[in-house]
Amino acid sequence: MPVAGIVLERVSKVFTGGVVAVDDISLEVESGEFLVLVGPSGCGKSTLLRMIAGLEDATGGTISIDGRDVTELPPRSRDVAMVFQSYALYPHMSVRENLGYGLKVRKTPKKEAAQRVERAAKLLGLEDMLDRKPAALSGGQRQRVAMGRAIVREPKAFLMDEPLSNLDAKLRVSMRASLASLHSRLRTTTIYVTHDQVEAMTLGQRVAVLRDGRVQQVDTPQALYARPTNLFVAAFIGSPAMNLVEADLSDGVLTFAGFTLPVAPHTVPEGVHGRVVVGIRPETFEDAAFADPSLPQVDVDVEVVEELGAETHVIFSLDAVPVDVSGAREADEEEVIIGESRTLFTARVVPSTTARPGAPLRLAVDPSRFHYFDPETGARFAGTMAPTLARA
């Protein structure tokens, strides 16, 4: 199957009324790469995908596929295949006919078309369903047919717009694994749009985080998690989300919400002092009863305990105004629940914790894994040491 690199150079999209959906984006997708575009609703990710497909005209910039400028070309001349959130199957056609319909329209020789359909069906485990109608299929099976319809075309690139959104949680997990396995076999350049950061982290070889029509950061999932470039990426990537709080840093001591913690100089970017925003991943905490006794400890009042089997989430509030990271989550629920004068923190601890709602708990915390951001610009201070591992 052919593969192609995709290059976007200063691409923009302005809708009627001056609404800027995509704002001067430059991005290079390597041949055979699986790149995920992720961000909250309205960030421009689907519009950008539709521009690559030719379903939306670019207001500015150029789009190249396999070294060819396709900015002004119609969709059928770009040799890409789209998979949408809706399966868009023809209900009166069998699976076999749905898979082969695009080839029929393109007047592909019948023998070749039949071979492609059989290959795609085998690849997707649809061999026993070829004579069924879509109504006789489950949601996951319908999505596989939609995928198969794109595969039989043998395009230069796949463009996927939230293809798993209509599936239930358990099926989404299995379909994610199927998609990853499929890409490892086909090696076709793929751009995948989602608002689900867990989906982005588990699927993408690289992930581009979008906000307000602009790319905030493009990197591997691990790098995004360990070294977010700004507060937006820090708050968006990770589940549970990174805890953020304003603090004062002076002479190796960090002070916030009534806590005073020592921090080693080599773990803080050079020259950083005074007012900062500190980012603390939930796994940076641990129940003090099970932690290294040399770590600093804090006493908190537990509000919620979420027991998840392999781990437990302990939620507590601090006497600190929440850090404003507008749009990083679909809904700003914290302020609704606890008001504007306090902020929620989450600690990810061992399941054997004794934490109980309404009771005090002593937590150990590792300051060497803190992240530091500029409270004025939201940018990450360069050189921050935070060797955390992503646990989506």
Side-chain angles (χ1 to χ4, degrees):
M1 185 174 289
V3 293
I6 298 174
V7 179
L8 311 179
E9 295 183 9
R10 307 201 67 176
V11 173
S12 297
K13 177 65 179 181
V14 182
F15 287 105
T16 304
V19 177
V20 180
V22 175
D23 188 4
D24 197 29
I25 286 181
S26 294
L27 192 61
E28 184 170 340
V29 186
E30 296 180 5
S31 177
E33 181 179 15
F34 197 121
L35 178 83
V36 176
L37 304 178
V38 68
S41 298
C43 71
K45 55 190 184 296
S46 291
T47 300
L48 184 60
L49 194 76
R50 290 173 61 83
M51 291 167 69
I52 297 170
L55 301 177
E56 293 281 359
D57 295 328
T59 305
T62 60
I63 301 169
S64 299
I65 299 175
D66 198 21
R68 181 176 63 138
D69 186 343
V70 301
T71 312
E72 303 296 332
L73 295 182
R76 68 174 58 193
S77 301
R78 302 193 181 198
D79 197 13
V80 297
M82 281 201 73
V83 180
F84 297 95
Q85 180 177 347
S86 60
Y87 314 127
L89 303 179
Y90 296 104
H92 63 286
M93 293 184 183
S94 67
V95 169
R96 188 190 309 275
E97 291 168 330
N98 268 285
L99 290 174
Y101 183 74
L103 300 179
K104 181 180 179 181
V105 170
R106 289 168 179 78
K107 295 181 169 43
T108 304
K110 289 185 178 180
K111 183 177 180 181
E112 180 185 348
Q115 290 173 342
R116 288 194 192 183
V117 168
E118 292 292 338
R119 283 200 301 268
K122 183 176 181 181
L123 189 66
L124 294 165
L126 297 170
E127 306 103 303
D128 298 333
M129 307 173 195
L130 288 173
D131 296 320
R132 294 187 194 177
K133 297 289 180 64
L137 303 176
S138 68
Q141 290 166 342
R142 292 179 194 178
Q143 191 56 267
R144 277 188 278 159
V145 176
M147 284 293 305
R149 191 169 50 190
I151 290 170
V152 296
R153 286 184 49 192
E154 299 183 358
K156 289 181 177 177
F158 292 133
L159 307 177
M160 303 186 184
D161 192 2
E162 306 209 43
L164 308 185
S165 294
N166 288 339
L167 305 179
D168 62 54
K170 185 176 181 180
L171 193 51
R172 280 202 303 271
V173 173
S174 64
M175 283 300 296
R176 285 206 305 262
S178 297
L179 277 173
S181 176
L182 187 65
H183 180 261
S184 69
R185 282 180 281 176
L186 297 178
R187 295 293 178 187
T188 304
T189 306
T190 302
I191 301 180
Y192 186 103
V193 161
T194 182
H195 67 275
D196 184 338
Q197 58 92 20
V198 175
E199 199 167 276
M201 295 283 282
T202 53
L203 276 175
Q205 293 173 322
R206 285 193 306 152
V207 176
V209 182
L210 274 67
R211 178 191 191 187
D212 297 334
R214 287 181 170 268
V215 173
Q216 301 295 303
Q217 187 174 359
V218 185
D219 216 322
T220 64
Q222 286 289 344
L224 286 176
Y225 191 86
R227 294 178 296 280
T229 192
N230 56 35
L231 282 172
F232 179 83
V233 178
F236 191 83
I237 297 295
S239 181
M242 180 185 286
N243 303 297
L244 298 169
V245 66
E246 288 201 23
D248 285 303
L249 178 62
S250 178
D251 298 325
V253 175
L254 189 69
T255 305
F256 63 91
F259 298 135
T260 300
L261 301 175
V263 291
H266 71 276
T267 66
V268 179
E270 186 176 354
V272 174
H273 63 276
R275 199 68 176 167
V276 297
V277 172
V278 177
I280 308 174
R281 291 285 184 199
E283 61 270 24
T284 306
F285 292 102
E286 184 53 273
D287 187 326
F290 303 94
D292 182 344
S294 67
L295 291 175
Q297 298 180 354
V298 295
D299 292 314
V300 303
D301 293 320
V302 178
E303 297 186 15
V304 178
V305 176
E306 298 177 338
E307 297 179 342
L308 304 176
E311 62 189 29
T312 295
H313 297 168
V314 174
I315 300 173
F316 55 96
S317 64
L318 298 182
D319 187 14
V321 176
V323 174
D324 181 19
V325 191
S326 301
R329 296 287 169 174
E330 291 295 335
D332 198 1
E333 296 176 353
E334 288 186 7
E335 291 188 7
V336 175
I337 296 172
I338 61 175
E340 297 183 355
S341 62
R342 298 182 69 80
T343 186
L344 286 180
F345 260 46
T346 301
R348 178 182 277 171
V349 301
V350 294
S352 50
T353 181
T354 59
R356 295 293 179 268
L361 179 68
R362 179 160 293 180
L363 292 170
V365 61
D366 185 356
S368 70
R369 301 171 70 184
F370 287 1
H371 303 251
Y372 297 91
F373 302 90
D374 187 326
E376 297 297 324
T377 66
R380 179 190 185 87
F381 285 118
T384 303
M385 300 294 291
T388 54
L389 296 177
R391 290 196 287 175

